[in-house]
């Protein structure tokens, strides 16, 4: 154990007696120990939680919140607040204690309800549930990537809106990350991009306690974290994470560094103060136990053994933070008022955007596609729509994980977002799908931005944990996923999505739209931008597809209801229904025509979004899929999954429950039974069966 | 452009005329250019493929295969061969050309069939399809992680089997990786672990061409890759990737370095030799075009413009490689024969293991659990079974992504696999789920190892791309995924899997088993170890569950058929069937008893593996789920997904299509309707409906 640590430890434990409260440092120590004590008590009461980080990183949390963070606890959504991200989400009680003590609407009763059903202090921080919680964390590395997205948003919006004398957007992003975050690949990817972009207002404090769940960090890692982050383009400084003065120095250094993001490696002790658990993995994820809790408070010199005790002098601080916060926001509001007079149009746009509203004319440029123009892949249609939208939606920003030319996610003439060009709108994410997912979440969380990010559908798996969090947080993120099926052809099974459409549909709240042609694609973008209740995945074809005159006629409504009758026989009521998505709609239409030749009336239902359709009123569903017509063929180039419900017991699913194969797409389609012959064969079989 | 490059480029392009073939270096250049020409032609013929890497990295591939790699093309599965992994899988034609020229069973006709349906030269290398292909690659970063697994396997097996004078297991692992690999998080995670473990026999050649699909690497990355890898504990050296001599020096240096893995940063030019595409992203993923192909061959000084031309002198090399390979293996076989005499028992075990056979007594220690022992979580049962198995299966190795104590994946007394302890069997993967997945694949691919790796089920998303590849390659990897539902409780929605069981089921070939109690868990392990056709996910509860006397009675068969009647009313035929998995089986049993009280006969079906059940003969399925009984309740604490098919149109699914919540598990269960009342209510409703 280093000398500084031993002496510091002594100091931390003896300084904080109430008698010494006349010194600033004694008050500080008492505040830190109050945070610790609240953590211990809440976790003890819940009989569940993670005391190790609360005890070990309390000084870090305190230093950030009390000495650096710009916030107004009375209005947690003040646009120009600094962002704080607890990437080590299991430290939720540290955050809740900080929020409580700095005047946020998190009461002592809320702390007492920690981890209880229905409380606003859940096991891991949840965005939208607790004031002051900027993002939902817990899955490691995600918060780090979110923070990179927030810092990008700040920089972009600053470039878009700020004017000389008007630093309208000027705030920092702070992260508290642990060993687990640093080990995650998503963190590396995000850090590499942050370094490349030179995000000088991003500061990550790394709570380096050298302990993980399985024991000493040294059993699984020998990484020189400082060396690594320097190699990624970061500024790195070291601090004693148990000493405020040391942290203040480091954070001042970080603030002074405007060219690079800064990693503060703050050495701490997990479970600090716990006589028998300090420095041990055993302090990580279980309550200390009643006896150890009391001993820990005693060891810390905390003035009460009783649960949830907060000294009056500490309580009083909340009011000061509220006053300070209101003043900060008032000053900013004054600035905004002056800005509004100088730049009324921009100010209006700013307000619209930070409130998450779509500017009025944002969608007016969406193109219509005509059959005469020939065949067009839906990825290309998506690219054209995106480019049209970009013109009237200045905070539509995004890109791809090094697949912009293939996923058609580049906005021409909008520049690249780079260190030297913060007003560029195309983000070059690099081959970093997972970080892209986390960063998109950060862009959405920051506010003011309409973020999108694309890759091949098959690689959506790489970013799945981030997509899940977007859905959990109901963030408005759009994913243009291209190359949507075995129709990719020659690239083979590693590049052919099979289970991906279905597995994305399983994520609660994610809307998965697979348009059948260019016009459905345009409508999907329109809907996705207006849908402010969660992420949307657009499932796009690589191969060219006809532009249908039927979708041209159909109003926006069909798409927005998830499924609709695209084509009916003119005279007779349909005897069979062909339900399809994306490129398979065209196969269904061919079958419709062939059946017509055979004198069989059929209906083609385009079902771009199964989840939306199933959420429609029963009568609408009945209208599209009359329960009297149970002879149904569902066609989708992917796994069967939930389709039997649509096909009913009497229908059939032409789907694909095996991996793909390398080869010409037409050969594969034939071999897998995605052919007119097969559809007709199944149709005839169903038509010949007597209905039950 | 650096001086070395310009001079070298000239040299490469003029040296190789047939007239100079008396020098070794001229022959070398001609071989390299033959590889390039074959790549150009095959891609041209397929009208699809990636010429950039074939042209740029041909010298690297040639140097590894012709100068360093120990292999026998006549027997690609010789256990002591060096492994070569093309992590940049889009360079498949580079690999196929190398295999063709070094005597593997990859003919010129095979090259002509590149990327064609049914050929053995698919778009990306596929394990099991092409002799000499050690792993399926394409999704970036995966091959890198596989190679780390292979190097771990080599080291572990060496420690297990080698004896003084008997270096039975003594081979190296080579990787060719590109910029895309290096940017992926999975690569970082795997590299960090490789550095920690000091895998001295692992050499990665990084084809540093500074170009990615979107353009110059510098638009998305400023990473100092050398600095980063040094920080991860690697040895790093630089080479001119277009110059054999430079590469040979670097690879010799790598070979001499036994304490650390080595990264050779080999500067190359993507599309080398192509007059108009060299150094450009346009050479990456599309054929050069007929005219450019001819111009490129001319620029390279290649002796023919004709397609698929291989000079006789180059053809002849294949025979030499075959002779050399057979000699290498013969020498090793001699060594093995002597080993067999000295250590007959170990030699027998070695043979069994490398052939993928389970040693005879491997399963004999699997425990049986008795209801009297009280309640036991299936994760804990899994841990006990694992520990019992470990005793008789010396190459059962694995661990967890820093969750060994929670997922119960630690083998007591078996030591940790560490640099200083290569015979340890517990791998400390660190908080690196994705690398764990890729490494497990590498362990399985290497052969001789029965690998397993666990984490919380919710974090299986982090490793999903690797799980998919395990399924695609049909690798025998076992995933003990614990904390399998909202029953996790307080940790909240970020830690409560909802869609995960279902989404894993969607991956073709992955078997997902959710045992109902300790005995089903034991049988699942037994089946998983014998199942040599693909990966198996074990879905394990955090919470304690009763040990059922019914599973105690049931033979192994029930589990292995995926679903079986666990409990029937003694006298009457069932009027309703309750189908459940995992912890929900106990709820179904409570309902069965309650219904019995009400005079209603019911059947409880435990369905630990839906996929296995659906693969059973129809009469077995009919036996378990008679089609006459359509009143069915399916209970699973996860999304509905494929269950309606089992429930039929007349049944109901008690599932969960929303995210979880933080709180006491019992409160959550009640709120989500996983309660006896709810099951009975649904049962009564169904029973009161007249059958259709």
């Amino acid at each position: 154990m280093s000398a500084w640590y031993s002496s510091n430890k002594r100091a931390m434990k003896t300084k904080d007696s109430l008698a010494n409260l006349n010194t600033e440092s004694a008050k500080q120590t008492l505040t830190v120990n109050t945070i610790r004590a609240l953590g211990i008590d809440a976790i003890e009461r819940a009989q569940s939680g993670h005391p190790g980080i609360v005890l070990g990183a309390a000084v870090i949390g305190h230093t950030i919140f009390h000495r650096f963070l710009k916030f107004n606890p009375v209005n947690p959504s003040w646009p120009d607040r600094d962002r704080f991200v607890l990437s080590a989400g299991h430290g939720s009680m540290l955050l809740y204690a900080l929020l409580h003590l700095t005047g946020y609407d998190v009461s002592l009763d809320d702390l007492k309800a920690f981890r209880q059903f229905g409380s606003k202090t859940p096991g891991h921080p949840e965005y939208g549930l607790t004031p002051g919680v900027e993002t939902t964390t817990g899955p490691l590395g995600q918060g780090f990537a979110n923070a990179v997205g927030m810092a990008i948003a700040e920089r972009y919006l600053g470039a878009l809106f700020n004017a000389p004398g008007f630093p309208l957007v000027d705030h920092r992003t702070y992260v508290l990350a642990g060993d687990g975050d640093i080990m995650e690949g998503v963190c590396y990817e995000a850090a590499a991009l942050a370094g490349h972009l030179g995000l000088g207002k991003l500061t990550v404090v790394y709570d380096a306690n050298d302990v993980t769940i399985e024991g000493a960090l040294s059993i699984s890692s020998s990484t020189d974290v400082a060396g690594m982050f320097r190699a990624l383009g970061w500024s790195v400084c070291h601090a004693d994470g148990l000493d405020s003065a040391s942290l203040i120095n480091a954070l001042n250094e970080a603030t002074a560094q405007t060219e690079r993001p800064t990693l503060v490696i703050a050495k701490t002790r997990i479970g600090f103060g716990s006589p028998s658990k300090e420095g041990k993995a055993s302090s990580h994820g279980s309550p200390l136990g009643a006896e150890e809790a009391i001993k820990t408070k005693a060891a810390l010199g905390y003035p009460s053994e009783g649960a949830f005790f907060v000294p009056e002098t500490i309580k009083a601080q909340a009011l000061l933070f509220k006053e300070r916060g209101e003043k900060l926001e008032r000053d900013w509001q004054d600035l905004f008022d002056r800005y509004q007079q100088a730049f009324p149009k921009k100010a209006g746009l700013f307000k619209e955007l930070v409130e998450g509203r779509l500017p009025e004319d944002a969608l007016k440029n969406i193109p219509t596609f005509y059959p005469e123009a020939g065949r067009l892949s839906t990825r290309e249609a998506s690219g054209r729509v995106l480019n049209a939208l970009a013109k009237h939606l200045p905070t539509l920003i995004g890109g791809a994980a090094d697949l912009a030319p293939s996923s058609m996610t580049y906005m021409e003439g909008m520049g690249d977002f780079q260190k030297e060009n913060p007003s560029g709108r195309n983000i070059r994410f690099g081959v970093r799908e997972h970080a892209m997912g986390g960063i998109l979440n950060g862009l959405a969380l920051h506010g003011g931005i309409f973020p999108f990010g694309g890759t091949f559908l098959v690689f959506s798996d790489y970013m799945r944990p981030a997509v899940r969090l977007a859905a959990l947080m109901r963030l408005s993120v759009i994913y243009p996923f291209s190359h949507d099926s075995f129709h990719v052809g020659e690239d083979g099974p590693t590049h052919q999505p099979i289970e991906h459409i279905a597995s994305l549909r399983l994520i609660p709240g994610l809307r998965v739209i697979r348009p059948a042609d260019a016009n459905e694609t345009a409508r999907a973008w329109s809907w996705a931008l207006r849908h402010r209740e969660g992420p949307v995945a657009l499932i796009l074809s690589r191969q060219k597809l006809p532009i249908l005159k039927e979708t041209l006629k159909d109003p926006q409504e069909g798409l927005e209801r998830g499924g609709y009758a695209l084509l009916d026989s003119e005279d007779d009521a349909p005897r069979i229904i062909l339900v399809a998505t994306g490129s398979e709609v065209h196969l269904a239409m061919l079958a419709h025509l062939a059946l017509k030749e055979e004198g069989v009336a059929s209906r083609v239902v385009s079902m771009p979004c199964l989840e939306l359709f199933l959420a429609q009123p029963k009568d609408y569903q009945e209208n599209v899929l009359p329960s009297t017509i149970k002879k149904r063929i569902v066609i989708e180039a992917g796994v069967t999954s939930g389709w039997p419900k649509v096909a009913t017991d009497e229908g059939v699913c032409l789907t694909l429950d095996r991996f793909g194969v390398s080869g010409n797409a037409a050969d594969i389609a034939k071999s897998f039974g995605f052919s007119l012959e097969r559809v007709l064969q199944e149709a005839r079989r169903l038509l010949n069966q007597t209905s039950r």
Side-chain angles (χ1 to χ4, degrees), chain A:
Chain A
M1 202 183 300
S2 64
W4 66 257
Y5 170 69
S6 305
S7 69
N8 175 269
K9 185 166 169 176
R10 253 194 324 279
M12 290 294 291
K13 288 188 180 171
T14 53
K15 268 194 303 198
D16 81 64
S17 80
L18 286 171
N20 283 333
L21 265 182
N22 47 350
T23 73
E24 189 55 37
S25 98
K27 195 186 284 178
Q28 189 172 285
T29 304
L30 182 61
T31 311
V32 167
N33 284 335
T34 304
I35 294 165
R36 289 172 171 145
L38 287 173
I40 291 171
D41 293 338
I43 292 165
E44 210 55 40
R45 187 180 168 112
Q47 277 303 296
S48 168
H50 299 76
I53 183 173
V54 184
L55 294 169
V59 185
I60 298 173
H62 171 265
T63 307
I64 294 174
F65 266 75
H66 288 241
R67 295 303 188 106
F68 286 87
L69 206 69
K70 177 175 81 172
F71 63 96
N72 177 11
V74 181
N75 176 16
S77 52
W78 168 36
D80 201 38
R81 71 193 182 277
D82 287 345
R83 267 58 170 182
F84 173 77
V85 172
L86 182 72
S87 192
H90 53 277
S92 53
M93 252 320 293
L94 171 58
L95 180 53
Y96 301 148
L98 286 163
L99 294 172
H100 171 66
L101 295 178
T102 56
Y104 283 88
D105 182 16
V106 176
S107 68
L108 212 54
D109 280 342
D110 290 326
L111 300 189
K112 288 177 185 166
F114 179 53
R115 291 186 158 235
Q116 300 311 301
F117 188 80
S119 83
K120 67 174 167 190
T121 47
H124 290 81
E126 292 182 35
Y127 173 73
L129 192 58
T130 318
V133 168
E134 300 279 5
T135 176
T136 296
T137 50
L140 293 172
Q142 300 293 335
F144 191 111
N146 296 164
V148 172
M150 292 173 186
I152 291 174
E154 193 271 350
R155 188 164 203 159
Y156 176 75
L157 292 172
L160 181 63
F161 287 107
N162 292 352
F166 293 100
L168 202 61
V169 182
D170 183 16
H171 51 267
R172 305 184 61 85
T173 304
Y174 290 91
V175 180
L176 175 55
D179 288 300
D181 290 298
I182 302 292
M183 278 197 268
E184 287 285 4
V186 61
C187 180
Y188 155 71
E189 292 178 10
L193 191 57
H196 170 71
L197 295 173
L199 300 173
K201 286 183 181 168
L202 173 64
T203 302
V204 176
V205 182
Y206 162 31
D207 170 26
N209 61 33
D210 296 327
V211 170
T212 71
I213 290 173
E214 294 193 10
L217 177 63
S218 59
I219 66 172
S220 64
S221 176
S222 307
T223 299
D224 163 16
V225 175
M228 183 182 102
F229 272 77
R230 283 199 193 97
L232 300 181
W234 287 56
S235 169
V236 176
C237 53
H238 295 267
D240 173 354
L242 295 168
D243 179 50
S244 288
S246 172
L247 282 165
I248 288 170
N249 279 343
L251 289 170
N252 278 332
E253 198 179 309
T255 309
Q257 167 60 262
T258 58
E259 294 296 304
R260 295 159 176 258
T262 297
L263 182 76
V264 176
I265 301 181
K267 279 283 168 203
T268 66
R269 297 273 293 172
I270 192 170
F272 177 84
S274 162
S276 52
K277 295 191 175 178
E278 179 180 316
K280 295 182 188 158
S282 59
S283 73
H284 168 75
S286 310
L288 294 180
E291 198 180 327
E292 185 72 11
I294 289 171
K295 284 186 186 163
T296 304
K297 287 187 203 169
L300 293 168
Y302 196 65
S304 165
E305 288 180 2
F308 297 98
F309 171 71
V310 179
E312 285 305 320
T313 164
I314 305 303
K315 264 188 205 161
Q317 293 178 8
L319 188 61
L320 299 176
F321 277 107
K322 285 186 189 178
E323 286 170 3
R324 187 195 71 143
E326 289 184 310
K327 165 105 178 48
L328 284 167
E329 183 167 353
R330 221 164 31 238
D331 291 349
W332 181 86
Q333 190 59 50
D334 290 346
L335 174 74
F336 184 78
D337 293 345
R338 291 196 307 278
Y339 182 85
Q340 199 156 21
Q341 289 184 338
F343 311 99
K345 212 173 149 188
K346 274 192 144 182
L349 180 66
F350 182 87
K351 276 186 78 169
E352 261 179 339
L353 291 173
V354 300
E355 286 165 12
R357 284 182 287 135
L358 212 53
E360 208 170 291
D361 58 356
L363 305 176
K364 76 171 190 187
N365 257 24
I366 291 186
T368 300
F369 298 89
Y370 297 93
E372 303 76 47
R375 295 157 66 89
L376 198 67
S377 64
T378 53
R379 64 173 166 147
E380 193 171 345
S382 169
R384 292 200 201 163
V385 174
L386 173 67
N387 272 274
L389 286 165
K391 291 193 183 68
H392 290 274
L393 188 48
T395 61
L396 182 65
I397 80 174
D402 196 42
L403 284 172
S406 302
S407 59
M408 309 266 177
T409 44
Y410 196 79
M411 296 176 287
E412 294 297 335
M414 298 301 172
D416 285 6
F417 180 81
Q418 295 287 358
K419 187 174 179 178
E420 308 74 25
N421 187 34
S423 57
R425 291 168 58 183
N426 291 288
I427 302 177
R428 303 295 197 168
F429 287 105
V431 190
R432 305 183 184 108
E433 297 84 4
H434 201 169
M436 177 171 76
I439 289 169
L440 292 170
N441 291 352
L443 289 167
L445 284 161
H446 180 279
I449 305 281
F450 291 81
F452 68 91
T455 183
F456 287 169
L457 174 58
V458 81
F459 301 138
S460 63
D461 274 355
Y462 274 72
M463 56 194 284
R464 193 169 167 91
V467 175
R468 179 176 213 258
L469 283 164
L472 181 53
M473 291 191 267
R474 300 169 177 265
L475 301 179
S476 299
V477 176
I478 300 176
Y479 309 109
F481 290 138
S482 74
H483 292 57
D484 71 350
S485 69
F486 68 77
H487 286 287
V488 165
E490 286 81 359
D491 272 346
T494 54
H495 285 55
Q496 292 168 2
I498 298 295
E499 71 277 25
H500 300 77
I501 304 174
S503 77
L504 288 171
R505 284 193 189 119
L506 299 183
I507 299 178
L510 174 66
R511 293 291 168 255
V512 181
I513 307 184
R514 188 172 187 233
D517 78 343
N519 285 313
E520 278 197 7
T521 307
R523 296 197 180 102
W525 265 103
S526 164
W527 184 81
L529 280 170
R530 283 176 287 121
H531 178 64
R532 307 300 293 165
E533 291 165 32
V536 179
L538 304 176
I539 310 296
L540 305 168
S541 78
R542 171 181 184 268
Q543 77 274 25
K544 288 182 189 300
L545 299 172
I547 297 167
L548 297 170
K549 65 176 192 294
E550 289 78 7
T551 60
L552 192 59
K553 281 182 298 186
D554 178 73
Q556 181 79 27
E557 191 192 341
L559 183 287
E560 299 195 3
R561 284 177 173 263
Y564 61 104
L566 182 69
L567 188 58
D568 265 310
S569 293
E570 280 145 35
D571 308 318
D572 303 314
R575 290 177 53 203
I576 186 167
I577 302 177
L578 307 161
V579 181
T581 73
S583 49
E584 282 67 74
V585 169
H586 303 277
L587 183 55
M589 292 185 74
L590 290 177
H592 169 89
L593 295 175
L595 288 169
K596 196 175 176 181
E597 293 289 310
E598 296 180 19
V600 174
S602 68
R603 163 176 290 183
V604 175
V605 170
S606 177
M607 187 75 78
C609 185
L610 180 56
E611 312 90 275
L612 276 179
F613 180 75
L614 294 177
Q616 296 304 312
K618 287 288 163 216
D619 61 341
Y620 179 81
Q621 294 190 40
E622 176 67 25
N623 236 346
V624 178
L625 297 177
S627 48
T628 49
I629 312 175
K630 291 213 166 168
K631 295 183 192 299
R632 298 177 189 176
I633 303 181
V634 175
I635 322 175
E636 185 171 76
V639 294
T640 309
S641 189
W643 284 119
K645 195 173 171 175
V646 173
T648 81
D649 284 358
E650 295 182 34
V652 66
C653 296
L654 292 191
T655 45
L656 187 65
D657 292 298
R658 52 154 288 175
F659 284 114
V661 66
S662 172
N664 176 282
D667 293 343
I668 303 174
K670 201 175 160 190
S671 130
F672 287 168
F674 286 82
S675 63
L676 180 58
E677 296 71 34
R678 171 83 188 289
V679 179
L680 292 177
Q681 183 188 325
E682 292 292 343
R684 289 182 202 121
R685 190 176 62 76
L686 292 183
L687 289 164
N688 286 334
Q689 278 174 3
T690 43
S691 275
R692 287 175 230 173

